[in-house]
Amino acid sequence: MPDRFSLSTARKIAWREARASSTRFLFVILAVSLGVGALTGVRGFSQSFRGMLMRDARQLMAADMTVRAFALPTPTQESVLEKLARSGVDQTQVTETVSMLSIPSQSTPVLVSVKAVDPAVYPFYGALKLNPPLTLRQALQADAVAVSGDLLVRLDIKTGDTVKLGEANFRIAAVVTAEPDRMAGSLNVGPRILMSRAGLDRTGLITLGSRAAQRVLFRFEPNSIPVSRARAELKEAFPDAQIIDYRETHPLITRGLDRATTFLSLVSLIALIVGALGVAMAMHSHLQQKMDIIAVMKSIGARSGQIMTIYTLQTLMLGLLGGAAGIIVGLAVQRAFPPLIARYFQIDPGLHWDPGSALQGLATGVLTTLLFTLPPLLSIRAIRPSIILRREMEDARPHWRDRLKNGRTGAIAGAVIIAGILAIGWWLSESLRVGLYFAGGFLASILMLAAIATGILALLRRAARWSRQALPAAIRHGLANIYRPGNQASALLVALGLGVMFTLTVYLVQKSMLVQIANSAPPGMPNVFLINITSLERDGIAGMLHHQKGIQGPAEVIPIVSARMLRIDGAAVQDLPLKGFSRRFRQSRSVTWSDSLNSQTVVTEGKFWGPKDTAQSAGVQLCVGEDVAKILSVKPGTRIDWIAGGRTFTAQVSCVYRSEAVRIGSNLEFLFIPGALDGIPTLHFAAIRMQPALVAQLQRDVFRRFPTVTVINGADVLAIIQDVVDQIALVVRFISFFAILAGAIILASSVAGTRFRRVREVVILKTLGATRRRIAGIFSVEFLLLGAVAGILGSLLATGFSLLLLKRLFQVDYRFEPWPHLVAILLTAILANIAGWLASYRILQQKPMEALRNSL
Amino acid sequence: MEILRGINFAVPRGQFIAIMGPSGSGKSTLLGLLAGLDTPTAGSIVLDGQEIAGLAEDSLALIRGRKIGFVFQSYQLIPTLTAIENVLLPHELAGEANGLARAMELLENVGLSERRDHYPIQLSGGEQQRVALARAFMVRPPILMADEPTGNLDSANGEHVLELLLSMNRREGTTLVLVTHDATLAAHADRILRLKDGVIVGDELRA
């Protein structure tokens, strides 16, 4: 007979069947929606927060991306820029140069750094503040400039006075009090003169061949071309230019953002897995309920394929409904939280409805629902119809998990699930590596959990048998309940254990990350820098700083020597195929020496010299920064020939380091052993931390005693950096809290999901004369025990998983602390108990007869 | 453990045979085997000319769907389907369309046309069993298997169900295999097979 059983018939039956048991289905849908809600909620938050953090980081360069070159754009380059402009990329040009400024009453001119901008659009991000509080457009007329406060100090002039720059006179319209991208430009020696492009034209400073840096600022509209593509096009058009985007404004921000991003996608994945666990538990107990029905269907002629079709369709339907509900939950959570977080975030995270991520949530919800219902669906084939002839149905039916252990179907289902998790992880995190870690962690923990759960259950059974009469009845029954056939103890143990593991992992990882983030931007970081200190002035400056008001902590004074590389392992540096900004290594670089590394610097390769070593005792050695090592292919053992102060010498690389500290002012990429640079003309550089309000006073004092020393005020920039870092920490904390909360709710719901299986048990106990109190007591013992065991297993696994993730994905050290684990175990036990209680409450109130009629 | 052994008998088309025996005699197991709900460890079972011992589960399901109607002691209606949907189910599983008229007719035959949209939980035990009867006849099976069909019912309801079963059986010309330990029920049969400890201890053809 041809098979005329169509999909529409299956759909019809599936729908009829679902319609009737709406309460039970509601529960499953709720579980799915919780999972999807957690996923979309966490992902929605992550995206909003990521956007917010990026926006903060952008302030440091006032743009999404900049191209910096030392020449005006050629016609070809202009056309590339125009093409970008047409595809929705805003741009503005900033010109920077160095010049001499003078005033009529004084003969000595002052070296100033000039910056010409388009006041109508600059800056794209952040705010440039003036005193008096004018807008840039008001202040920067063609005949007016804004200047930094130190110029007024140096020249003893005030706002409204006239200064001469190049061939033109300018009125000082305002003082620049905050310039977010002060450190993003080059040629930052001397006080700042900010002017319009029309003003710059009047000076006549920019002629062919004059040394001026052209910086093009870009802002990408939401629907413009991707940053990466624009970057590639610009790279081709401007081979010699330095192109940076907002992720690279600062090493600290880059690393912080990278880690936060990895963390956020990890948490989304965890939210998904924990959600999927809820779904799996709900679907599992749902299908378990259906076993009798399936047997009946089979006895009246249904083939396994038909039944599987019916229930797959039903699952799909549940997944879709739950997913849709979950998206609404996720949205509601996102909408409900901003008022709460507004207190902590200065900037509105800009929550927005994103159909893409909603669709993603729905797809993952349906997919995980299907994946996790695969084992019970496959086990439909193994249900023997003859069970309906027996009266003891529960016992006649082996647990599907047990059958899975041997079955080929089990292996296939397992493989499909793991592959599915890998694919989903890969898709959501856009990283195969994260996907692999995830699927691997999931597989390993589920295997371990299943093995340990089986072992513990066997042990409990034995323990209960030995102590049979010694224990109070409630505890005895509670224990017996756990290994009673048909009880889902081992499934629940695995689900709870996994849930605890993932949730605790979120906590442990964020904790270690926060420690790391706090360390990399310590509150005492230097924010004011003194440059061009000669060796003669060094002690004077040090002494003065020692007594200056407002300075926090000791001043760090670093010697700077100008040196140029000649050969690397015998190969002439001039001949190396260096491109773009890397060509800087052909010129003189600032180098220094030191007998130790500061706390924010870590050696990544090789070994740093000892504290007593000198060039004379240990040979001429140096360490290089990570970027240098990469660009020049330098590693420990490489020999570099140098020329400095008319002297040539050879030094051997002994280590490569990475600096996580804020680097403002000088980028020290080369660090020599003490003694190596003796006798070469040296300038010094001092870094101090001081109260922002007292920086002007320091500038005046330094200028009076050491007129050639320049004071750079990095307080504003540092404030932004610290803001970003603080926000990263806050975001990490917030998302973790949310994920942990969602995890707890889902775990509670999976315990509650077992309630339908308890109906018959309650009825029998009641029929035999047990009071509700006694039954509740029995359940308490069971749930407390299950919760505690799951908590212990989960926290053990969380330790391993966190260790792996922190080491491999975040490069952060993991420090074990017992408290989180103890709290997790205790909370799990209590949570399981409360959830079990709540779920059983209604059943306990029912009359036995009512339940008997309901329990078919 | 051997439940049944040395069982050897044949049931001609249209016969009403009652299988009797005390609890644990193996009568339910025998019924399960005859109906293809279970497969024997050894031996042969021929159903309507077709060997079914050792067939795969899905082939058995196809045979059950087309050739056998079931009536169980505990009714075994699908609790999530209405009365009419329960009756329709075997028809739909066989991939047939337009069964509604016959399903209604059957419900009418068992006197439940008013309750077509009720769920099993809203029906009394007797009513549930009558729905199960209608379901059993839905695909016009040549064979009907009944396992203590009145075992869960009081005598009035039991009699009503039995009458319906017999009259429908006569009308459809079905072979009827009835498992029971109730002698009054068995008294209606053409033939009584007695089982004890897994062996046939009596095979009595009645007038």
Side-chain angles (χ1 to χ4, degrees):
Chain A
M1 189 178 79
D3 188 6
R4 276 169 292 166
F5 180 77
S6 65
L7 218 57
S8 71
T9 313
R11 202 185 57 219
K12 215 156 59 190
I13 297 175
W15 173 245
R16 278 182 203 148
E17 229 243 316
R19 186 197 53 203
S21 40
S22 47
T23 336
R24 290 178 186 187
F25 277 87
L26 206 65
F27 205 82
V28 181
I29 290 172
L30 226 64
V32 180
S33 67
L34 264 176
V36 174
L39 174 74
T40 46
V42 167
R43 279 187 83 76
F45 275 128
S46 300
Q47 264 159 13
S48 305
F49 281 132
R50 191 140 70 174
M52 179 189 81
L53 294 177
M54 295 295 186
R55 219 161 32 230
D56 276 11
R58 285 173 175 110
Q59 291 181 21
L60 288 178
M61 50 193 280
D64 289 313
M65 187 165 86
T66 64
V67 169
R68 190 170 68 182
F70 283 97
L72 286 166
T74 63
T76 344
Q77 292 170 337
E78 289 282 7
S79 74
V80 171
L81 292 179
E82 271 163 30
K83 199 181 126 219
L84 280 178
R86 277 197 304 276
S87 55
V89 182
D90 298 336
Q91 41 193 278
T92 183
Q93 201 172 333
V94 173
T95 304
E96 286 157 309
T97 188
V98 183
S99 183
M100 302 306 276
L101 176 140
S102 59
I103 53 170
S105 62
Q106 222 169 313
S107 54
T108 337
V110 176
L111 185 72
V112 292
S113 58
V114 178
K115 177 167 168 182
V117 300
D118 178 352
V121 293
Y122 169 88
F124 282 145
Y125 298 97
L128 194 132
K129 291 196 187 109
L130 297 177
N131 181 29
L134 302 170
T135 64
L136 263 191
R137 218 200 281 240
Q138 288 165 336
L140 300 187
Q141 310 288 332
D143 64 343
V145 293
V147 303
S148 59
D150 52 345
L151 183 80
L152 301 187
V153 173
R154 272 181 188 230
L155 295 177
D156 197 20
I157 51 177
K158 57 188 187 306
T159 311
D161 288 354
T162 301
V163 293
K164 187 172 186 225
L165 188 67
E167 296 157 2
N169 281 327
F170 293 90
R171 180 174 49 84
I172 298 176
V175 174
V176 179
T177 53
E179 182 189 349
D181 60 336
R182 173 76 161 114
M183 295 304 155
S186 54
L187 308 175
N188 275 324
V189 255
R192 163 69 81 222
I193 306 293
L194 192 67
M195 62 200 325
S196 66
R197 303 199 65 80
L200 183 66
D201 290 342
R202 284 182 60 228
T203 63
L205 288 175
I206 305 299
T207 54
L208 207 65
S210 57
R211 183 164 165 81
Q214 304 294 337
R215 198 148 57 94
V216 186
L217 273 49
F218 297 91
R219 178 175 57 195
F220 290 79
E221 296 298 328
N223 52 356
S224 61
I225 66 167
V227 178
S228 54
R229 220 179 82 205
R231 193 182 171 127
E233 281 176 24
L234 287 167
K235 185 86 209 158
E236 209 183 307
F238 295 82
D240 292 340
Q242 183 189 14
I243 303 175
I244 53 177
D245 66 43
Y246 55 86
R247 288 169 297 207
E248 308 160 308
T249 48
H250 198 276
L252 195 59
I253 288 177
T254 311
R255 293 190 65 77
L257 283 180
D258 281 355
R259 280 183 188 155
T261 308
T262 313
F263 179 76
L264 292 179
S265 62
L266 185 81
V267 173
S268 316
L269 276 179
I270 287 178
L272 169 76
I273 289 291
V274 176
L277 278 178
V279 173
M281 285 304 287
M283 278 315 284
H284 178 198
S285 72
H286 169 66
L287 280 176
Q288 194 86 19
Q289 293 290 308
K290 299 284 176 201
M291 294 302 169
D292 297 348
I293 295 178
I294 290 168
V296 175
M297 281 191 170
K298 281 194 167 184
S299 75
I300 59 176
R303 274 159 293 142
S304 298
Q306 290 177 318
I307 300 175
M308 276 159 74
T309 313
I310 291 171
Y311 284 103
T312 306
L313 283 174
Q314 212 173 62
T315 308
L316 207 65
M317 207 160 67
L318 289 177
L320 274 171
L321 277 175
I327 288 170
I328 295 168
V329 170
L331 267 180
V333 168
Q334 282 197 64
R335 292 253 179 262
F337 268 88
L340 285 176
I341 52 176
R343 291 226 313 270
Y344 302 101
F345 295 102
Q346 285 88 31
I347 303 172
D348 170 32
L351 299 174
H352 51 92
W353 156 250
D354 175 13
S357 78
L359 215 65
Q360 205 177 30
L362 187 65
T364 20
V366 172
L367 220 64
T368 35
T369 312
L370 276 180
L371 272 180
F372 279 91
T373 39
L374 200 62
L377 275 178
L378 285 176
S379 73
I380 284 175
R381 295 146 62 95
I383 296 172
R384 303 221 45 95
S386 60
I387 61 167
I388 54 165
L389 292 173
R390 317 208 187 289
R391 308 295 177 258
E392 318 299 328
M393 290 185 192
E394 299 246 10
D395 292 353
R397 193 185 319 135
H399 202 264
W400 63 261
R401 238 166 254 271
D402 298 329
R403 289 199 302 271
L404 271 185
K405 271 174 206 152
N406 324 322
R408 204 169 35 133
T409 24
I412 295 169
V416 170
I417 290 178
I418 295 301
I421 289 174
L422 171 64
I424 292 173
W426 188 1
W427 182 40
L428 288 185
S429 67
E430 285 157 28
S431 152
L432 177 60
R433 211 156 82 100
V434 174
L436 279 171
Y437 273 120
F438 221 74
F442 186 79
L443 178 66
S445 29
I446 213 164
L447 286 179
M448 273 197 276
L449 273 170
I452 298 172
T454 314
I456 285 183
L457 288 182
L459 212 71
L460 276 179
R461 173 181 227 150
R462 187 161 297 177
R465 198 174 297 153
W466 279 342
S467 56
R468 186 128 285 196
Q469 296 313 318
L471 291 169
I475 294 180
R476 221 168 54 224
H477 284 294
L479 270 174
N481 247 356
I482 291 177
Y483 54 77
R484 175 175 48 76
N487 188 316
Q488 284 203 307
S490 69
L492 200 60
L493 264 185
V494 172
L496 271 181
L498 271 178
V500 172
M501 162 190 153
F502 281 119
T503 314
L504 189 59
T505 298
V506 170
Y507 178 81
L508 294 174
V509 168
Q510 64 108 22
K511 200 156 187 287
S512 292
M513 256 179 68
L514 288 180
V515 169
Q516 181 76 13
I517 287 172
N519 276 345
S520 58
M525 234 173 2
N527 60 354
V528 173
F529 305 89
L530 284 69
I531 60 172
N532 290 339
I533 305 167
T534 61
S535 292
L536 289 175
E537 292 166 324
R538 187 193 179 280
D539 292 342
I541 287 277
M544 180 186 161
L545 291 179
H546 194 69
H547 296 293
Q548 190 74 20
K549 259 211 298 207
I551 294 184
Q552 298 146 348
E556 200 183 348
V557 183
I558 298 163
I560 303 284
V561 165
S562 187
R564 187 159 60 87
M565 279 183 281
L566 296 174
R567 281 172 295 274
I568 297 174
D569 271 341
V573 172
Q574 300 304 326
D575 300 336
L576 288 181
L578 297 175
K579 280 213 188 93
F581 192 57
S582 300
R583 288 190 197 169
R584 66 184 185 272
F585 293 114
R586 292 183 187 163
Q587 282 130 33
S588 287
R589 309 299 304 158
S590 293
V591 305
T592 186
W593 71 80
S594 175
D595 58 2
S596 61
L597 283 175
N598 65 24
S599 58
Q600 284 106 50
T601 307
V602 288
V603 172
T604 55
E605 262 183 273
K607 199 168 163 291
F608 196 74
W609 44 82
K612 293 261 172 358
D613 288 344
T614 63
Q616 289 71 32
S617 68
V620 182
Q621 303 175 26
L622 83 160
C623 284
V624 300
E626 210 174 30
D627 295 346
V628 181
K630 206 186 278 169
I631 293 167
L632 299 177
S633 319
V634 165
K635 53 186 179 300
T638 304
R639 297 176 70 79
I640 304 177
D641 296 340
W642 293 86
I643 178 162
R647 182 155 78 78
T648 61
F649 60 95
T650 303
Q652 186 163 16
V653 176
S654 53
C655 74
V656 176
Y657 59 83
R658 179 174 71 218
S659 175
E660 304 213 1
V662 174
R663 294 184 296 177
I664 292 171
S666 184
N667 278 357
L668 291 173
E669 300 170 312
F670 301 97
L671 184 61
F672 281 83
I673 191 168
L677 304 172
D678 280 3
I680 299 169
T682 305
L683 281 174
H684 297 267
F685 160 90
I688 51 177
R689 171 77 179 193
M690 71 183 303
Q691 295 167 15
L694 294 172
V695 178
Q697 182 61 43
L698 176 77
Q699 284 177 319
R700 274 193 290 274
D701 292 351
V702 169
F703 179 64
R704 204 174 306 121
R705 284 185 57 191
F706 308 98
T708 57
V709 172
T710 304
V711 178
I712 296 176
N713 183 357
D716 304 331
V717 176
L718 197 73
I720 294 178
I721 291 173
Q722 230 144 21
D723 247 27
V724 173
V725 170
D726 286 352
Q727 302 239 1
I728 291 175
L730 206 56
V731 165
V732 165
R733 238 185 233 132
F734 175 78
I735 294 282
S736 311
F737 168 76
F738 184 71
I740 290 169
L741 189 73
I745 293 174
I746 289 165
L747 287 188
S749 80
S750 61
V751 173
T754 62
R755 80 189 183 109
F756 293 112
R757 228 159 307 106
R758 307 197 164 273
V759 175
R760 191 168 296 207
E761 181 186 335
V762 171
V763 169
I764 294 166
L765 284 169
K766 276 192 171 181
T767 319
L768 296 179
T771 60
R772 280 177 299 186
R773 238 185 92 176
R774 160 151 295 179
I775 299 173
I778 293 172
F779 283 180
S780 284
V781 171
E782 181 185 346
F783 284 128
L784 275 176
L785 209 66
L786 275 179
V789 172
I792 292 168
L793 294 181
S795 74
L796 279 176
L797 285 168
T799 306
F801 198 45
S802 309
L803 191 74
L804 181 82
L805 288 177
L806 285 170
K807 280 261 177 234
R808 290 298 166 90
L809 276 185
F810 297 99
Q811 280 100 40
V812 171
D813 288 329
Y814 173 65
R815 267 190 329 207
F816 179 81
E817 277 176 76
W819 283 113
H821 297 266
L822 291 177
V823 171
I825 294 166
L826 206 69
L827 278 183
T828 314
I830 294 170
L831 193 75
N833 200 25
I834 292 174
W837 263 78
L838 285 178
S840 310
Y841 178 77
R842 212 174 62 88
I843 304 171
L844 283 178
Q845 304 306 318
Q846 272 181 342
K847 299 249 180 320
M849 198 48 218
E850 199 183 327
L852 265 180
R853 276 183 67 84
N854 276 312
S855 71
L856 174 88
Chain B
M1 193 180 71
E2 231 175 19
I3 299 169
L4 296 171
R5 59 186 183 282
I7 304 280
N8 189 6
F9 69 100
V11 184
R13 189 180 295 268
Q15 193 176 53
F16 173 9
I17 179 171
I19 298 172
M20 288 193 70
S23 278
S25 59
K27 52 186 196 304
S28 282
T29 307
L30 180 59
L31 183 78
L33 289 173
L34 292 179
L37 293 176
D38 233 334
T39 43
T41 45
S44 153
I45 299 164
V46 178
L47 201 78
D48 201 18
Q50 189 179 0
E51 170 66 59
I52 63 163
L55 279 185
E57 176 51 36
D58 275 348
S59 320
L60 283 175
L62 272 176
I63 290 169
R64 285 197 297 267
R66 260 178 293 151
K67 299 198 169 165
I68 302 169
F70 277 103
V71 184
F72 302 101
Q73 177 176 12
S74 46
Y75 330 132
Q76 305 291 10
L77 295 179
I78 308 280
T80 49
L81 298 181
T82 60
I84 186 82
E85 287 166 355
N86 262 293
V87 178
L88 259 173
L89 187 63
H91 183 77
E92 287 175 333
L93 286 171
E96 306 280 349
N98 309 324
L100 202 61
R102 170 152 174 90
M104 263 320 285
E105 185 194 317
L106 284 167
L107 268 189
E108 221 159 285
N109 286 347
V110 298
L112 288 174
S113 52
E114 301 291 305
R115 321 210 56 173
R116 51 169 282 175
D117 293 325
H118 286 64
Y119 286 100
I121 199 169
Q122 298 165 305
L123 302 172
S124 74
E127 288 169 332
Q128 287 191 46
Q129 194 61 308
R130 276 143 67 194
V131 174
L133 265 181
R135 181 179 69 181
F137 284 102
M138 182 66 201
V139 293
R140 295 194 171 86
I143 304 159
L144 190 72
M145 304 274 181
D147 179 27
E148 300 279 15
T150 59
N152 281 3
L153 301 172
D154 59 49
S155 57
N157 269 309
E159 251 164 62
H160 186 108
V161 165
L162 184 68
E163 271 167 33
L164 276 173
L165 174 64
L166 294 178
S167 70
M168 288 168 91
N169 187 45
R170 265 194 302 277
R171 193 163 54 229
E172 306 273 341
T174 319
T175 308
L176 176 59
V177 180
L178 172 81
V179 166
T180 185
H181 60 257
D182 183 350
T184 52
L185 215 57
H188 296 273
D190 304 329
R191 177 183 174 188
I192 297 177
L193 199 71
R194 287 177 207 280
L195 224 59
K196 198 179 178 216
D197 298 329
V199 292
I200 297 178
V201 294
D203 188 351
E204 165 195 354
L205 204 62
R206 296 153 56 88

